[in-house]
């Protein structure tokens, strides 16, 4: 059964079972079965994101078509998040007695999860800005490709390529802050968040009068302050993120903890790959005794190994396509600095091979960044809608409790 079929089957199964009239004992057994199945789906999906033994050897190669941390891989990661999120809502809300939301541990865990969601919305906005920066890098790389594809090599073409590549490398190391800021502002204009809908992809939030929802608009409608940090935002998301114990480990506290963990992991991985002001911080700790955490822990460790191997000190990120651009750009700058006309046949072939690699990765970015950006936007919208749905249930419970107290 494909992941999509499994996802649809799971949602249908919960919907049908919750509509059946059964005893309290059967209800408890069904809840345990659903939680177990939910955890299995999480484990299976994240296991599919891990490279196989043979694929691990390709992480350092230039073949990035489907390798870990490539654009294709990140689209799979975001698909995984969206599937997990919809199953989480099914477990938590569909056919559920809403009075449980006002009882421990949900009365504490749900507000904490919703607060993490608001922080994740900020990170999605930063990722969108980062994708615009990568577009800027792709344009600079394409200038170099166009110049060095000219034959024969002449000083004017090489000089033009060198200027573009030096600007590219400066931008990747964070030295060209003005250019990066300009690219980021174009994304902010396109992705501005406000209560008004409108052009440029603005998000229309649900028309409700609720202070907790208004924080989304306030949080993302303005430009990021210089003191804003994606790593600190993720660190704040891990506050109070602890695995449920005792009786809570088999209750509704478990799926809330699980979904919060997935949310933090996905945001942490995005920040590691896409330029977001700084390098990613240390990953958060997941309990090793839970089956569904094992593939997530392996994923964290592999990304951490990539950071150590590359010894990153700048802001370029771990996206596989970025790594190829940086490597090839450095090689071509060395050629440009030592350029002497005429170029020998052997050297010309070597440069042509490097230019072909750069042209190919530019093509991959041209094709892949748009769909990736749209997917980040879909994740953003899904989080806004899901947050509103949970708040609606909590509002209903609050009104019932107020009426009973009166």
């Amino acid at each position: 059964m494909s992941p999509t079929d499994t996802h649809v089957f799971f949602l249908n199964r919960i919907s049908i079972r919750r509509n059946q009239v059964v005893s309290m004992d059967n209800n408890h057994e069904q809840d345990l079965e659903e939680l177990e199945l939910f955890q299995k789906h999480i484990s299976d999906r994240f296991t599919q994101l891990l490279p196989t033994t043979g694929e691990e050897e390709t992480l350092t190669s230039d073949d990035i078509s489907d390798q870990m941390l490539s654009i294709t891989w990140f689209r799979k990661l975001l698909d995984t998040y969206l599937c997990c999120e919809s199953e989480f809502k099914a477990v938590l809300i569909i056919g559920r007695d809403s009075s449980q939301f006002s009882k421990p541990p949900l009365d504490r865990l749900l507000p904490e999860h919703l607060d993490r969601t608001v922080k994740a919305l900020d990170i999605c906005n930063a990722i969108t800005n980062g994708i615009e920066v990568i577009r800027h890098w792709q344009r600079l790389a394409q200038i170099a490709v166009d110049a060095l594809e000219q034959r024969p090599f002449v000083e004017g073409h090489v000089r033009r390529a060198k200027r573009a590549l030096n600007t590219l490398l400066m931008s990747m190391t964070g030295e060209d802050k003005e250019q990066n800021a300009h690219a980021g502002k174009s994304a902010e204009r396109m992705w501005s968040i406000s209560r008004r809908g409108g052009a440029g992809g603005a998000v229309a939030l649900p028309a409700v009068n609720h202070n907790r929802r208004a924080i989304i608009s306030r949080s993302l409608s303005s430009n990021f302050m210089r003191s804003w940090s994606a790593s600190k935002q993720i660190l704040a998301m891990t506050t109070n993120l602890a695995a449920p114990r005792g009786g809570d480990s088999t209750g509704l506290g478990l799926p809330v903890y699980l979904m919060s963990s997935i949310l933090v992991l996905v945001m942490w991985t995005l920040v590691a790959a896409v330029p977001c002001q700084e390098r990613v911080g240390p990953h958060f700790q997941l309990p090793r005794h839970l089956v569904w955490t094992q593939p997530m822990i392996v994923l964290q460790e592999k990304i951490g190994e990539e950071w150590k191997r590359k010894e990153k000190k700048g802001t370029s990120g771990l996206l596989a396509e970025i790594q190829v651009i940086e490597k090839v750009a450095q090689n071509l700058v060395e050629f440009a600095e030592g350029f002497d006309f005429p170029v020998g046949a052997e050297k010309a072939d070597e440069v042509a091979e490097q230019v072909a690699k750069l042209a190919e990765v530019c093509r991959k970015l041209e094709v892949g960044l748009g769909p990736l950006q749209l997917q980040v936007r879909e994740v953003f919208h899904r989080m806004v809608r899901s947050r509103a749905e949970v708040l609606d249930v909590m509002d209903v419970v609050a009104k019932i409790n107020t009426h009973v107290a009166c």
Side-chain angles (χ1 to χ4, degrees):
M1 188 180 292
S2 69
T4 302
D5 292 338
T6 302
H7 173 64
V8 173
F9 171 76
F10 180 80
L11 296 181
N12 288 339
R13 180 176 180 174
I14 289 183
S15 182
I16 292 172
R17 285 197 169 194
R18 297 278 173 79
N19 288 327
Q20 294 174 344
V21 179
V22 292
S23 66
M24 291 295 292
D25 290 339
N26 284 342
N27 262 332
H28 181 66
E29 291 177 2
Q30 288 180 7
D31 285 346
L32 292 178
E33 185 178 348
E34 289 166 2
L35 286 176
E36 184 177 349
L37 187 58
F38 182 41
Q39 293 176 76
K40 183 179 184 303
H41 284 183
I42 300 302
S43 178
D44 290 344
R45 287 195 174 93
F46 277 91
T47 298
Q48 291 172 0
L49 292 171
L50 297 175
T52 61
T53 303
E55 290 173 337
E56 288 180 0
E57 299 176 357
T58 68
L59 284 177
T60 58
S61 73
D62 293 336
D63 182 13
I64 56 176
S65 299
D66 206 15
Q67 77 173 40
M68 182 176 169
L69 298 178
S70 66
I71 290 177
T72 301
W73 184 87
F74 271 98
R75 295 198 63 197
K76 292 178 182 177
L77 175 68
L78 295 180
D79 275 338
T80 294
Y81 170 80
L82 291 170
C83 288
C84 293
E85 197 273 341
S86 61
E87 291 186 9
F88 164 68
K89 283 195 302 182
V91 170
L92 189 70
I93 296 178
I94 293 180
R96 182 74 60 187
D97 179 5
S98 59
S99 64
Q100 296 182 59
F101 284 31
S102 62
K103 301 176 182 177
L106 291 187
D107 61 337
R108 174 180 58 84
L109 294 179
L110 277 179
E112 291 176 356
H113 178 70
L114 296 180
D115 182 64
R116 292 186 187 99
T117 300
V118 172
K119 292 179 171 61
L121 293 174
D122 277 336
I123 293 174
C124 283
N125 210 38
I127 293 299
T128 304
N129 294 349
I131 291 175
E132 285 302 310
V133 171
I134 296 174
R135 287 186 194 276
H136 170 60
W137 294 347
Q138 184 261 329
R139 287 190 288 268
L140 291 171
Q142 189 62 53
I143 291 173
V145 168
D146 294 341
L148 294 177
E149 283 181 337
Q150 305 295 323
R151 292 295 182 277
F153 290 116
V154 296
E155 186 175 354
H157 295 156
V158 174
R159 191 163 57 243
R160 182 182 181 212
K162 182 181 177 181
R163 283 198 301 268
L165 292 172
N166 279 331
T167 302
L168 168 64
L169 292 173
M170 286 177 60
S171 181
M172 282 187 159
T173 57
E175 295 176 25
D176 192 357
K177 296 179 180 179
E178 183 178 348
Q179 290 289 341
N180 287 349
H182 176 74
K185 286 179 181 178
S186 67
E188 288 169 1
R189 288 194 297 270
M190 184 172 62
W191 284 63
S192 60
I193 309 304
S194 65
R195 289 190 177 275
R196 315 183 302 270
V203 178
L205 295 177
V208 291
N209 294 320
H210 202 298
N211 291 336
R212 286 177 294 179
R213 294 184 195 181
I215 191 174
I216 299 177
S217 179
R218 292 198 305 271
S219 176
L220 297 179
S221 59
S222 60
N223 296 341
F224 290 111
M225 297 184 296
R226 291 182 181 273
S227 61
W228 189 89
S229 164
S231 292
K232 291 179 181 178
Q233 198 84 331
I234 290 174
L235 182 63
M237 292 173 67
T238 63
T239 303
N240 299 323
L241 184 58
R245 299 179 180 179
D248 293 341
S249 62
T250 58
L252 290 179
L254 178 59
V256 175
Y257 169 70
L258 197 157
M259 196 62 221
S260 288
S261 299
I262 293 173
L263 178 63
V264 175
L265 177 64
V266 170
M267 293 300 115
W268 179 83
T269 306
L270 286 171
V271 170
V274 178
C276 289
Q277 299 176 310
E278 72 224 315
R279 60 181 295 173
V280 68
H283 60 73
F284 67 105
Q285 298 298 318
L286 285 167
R288 293 182 175 271
H289 68 279
L290 300 176
V291 176
W292 58 268
T293 63
Q294 295 307 310
M296 296 185 187
I297 292 172
V298 174
L299 180 62
Q300 286 181 320
E301 290 174 347
K302 289 190 177 299
I303 294 174
E305 289 170 2
E306 281 293 288
W307 270 113
K308 290 179 182 178
R309 186 177 67 81
K310 298 178 186 302
E311 295 182 346
K312 285 295 167 187
K313 297 181 180 179
T315 59
S316 60
L318 291 180
L319 191 70
E321 287 81 359
I322 293 176
Q323 300 309 312
V324 174
I325 283 186
E326 186 175 19
K327 177 181 176 181
V328 175
Q330 289 170 346
N331 292 338
L332 290 176
V333 166
E334 290 178 6
F335 160 73
E337 289 177 344
F339 173 75
D340 190 16
F341 184 83
V343 178
E346 184 177 350
K347 187 65 175 178
D349 290 342
E350 180 184 332
V351 172
E353 182 181 352
Q354 294 292 313
V355 172
K357 287 182 181 179
L358 192 58
E360 176 63 16
V361 75
C362 284
R363 186 193 66 81
K364 290 181 182 297
L365 290 173
E366 182 71 26
V367 171
L369 286 179
L372 178 63
Q373 196 169 39
L374 288 176
Q375 210 163 8
V376 172
R377 183 179 184 179
E378 182 181 358
V379 168
F380 181 98
H381 285 207
R382 176 73 69 83
M383 286 192 291
V384 170
R385 290 196 301 269
S386 296
R387 188 174 186 276
E389 290 171 10
V390 173
L391 284 172
D392 285 340
V393 176
M394 295 175 68
D395 287 346
V396 170
V397 173
K399 290 176 181 177
I400 292 175
N401 289 342
T402 302
H403 179 72
V404 170
C406 293

